[in-house]
Amino acid sequence: MSLALRLREPLGDRAISAADLPLALGGEGVSIAIPGVPPGVVAAHVGFDEQTPYLEVVPESVVAVALNGRAPRERTPLLHGDVIRIGDAEILVSVRAGSVGLEVIHP
């Protein structure tokens, strides 16, 4: 079974292919641009281990990343209802029957 990843952001919705993973979360010029993060800076990655989506923070990043209000220190599985906070954005995670959705919300 392969998982589908859908991204919803203010610029529109898009499907993410396995070839595009892991996704870089950070400033302008990376996979998912987050307001409040300097251009080119990667704060974290979202990818899959086997069939499980994960969040992995880039240790040398100067940008704070929170998962459900806590700073993850290692690769952390993402579950339905999780909230990732980076820069000026929140990313809502939905995991359902072979499908993972990321909804980026920012002003």
Side-chain angles (χ1 to χ4, degrees):
M1 172 176 126
S2 69
L3 289 172
L5 178 65
R6 299 234 16 111
L7 175 65
R8 173 176 281 167
E9 57 186 337
L11 297 176
D13 293 2
R14 59 183 162 134
I16 305 298
S17 73
D20 295 326
L21 296 173
L23 289 175
L25 309 176
E28 187 177 328
V30 304
S31 305
I32 302 176
I34 305 291
V37 178
V41 170
V42 177
H45 291 98
V46 170
F48 286 103
D49 274 337
E50 303 291 323
Q51 299 294 312
T52 304
Y54 67 80
L55 173 71
E56 186 168 28
V57 175
V58 175
E60 58 275 2
S61 175
V62 296
V63 178
V65 177
L67 177 62
N68 301 323
R70 296 183 179 199
R73 300 192 188 284
E74 57 191 28
R75 184 177 286 192
T76 305
L78 292 172
L79 304 172
H80 184 76
D82 280 349
V83 177
I84 303 166
R85 181 117 176 97
I86 302 174
D88 296 333
E90 286 188 342
I91 302 168
L92 309 179
V93 179
S94 64
V95 180
R96 293 194 171 122
S99 177
V100 176
L102 301 176
E103 183 176 357
V104 181
I105 301 171
H106 57 78

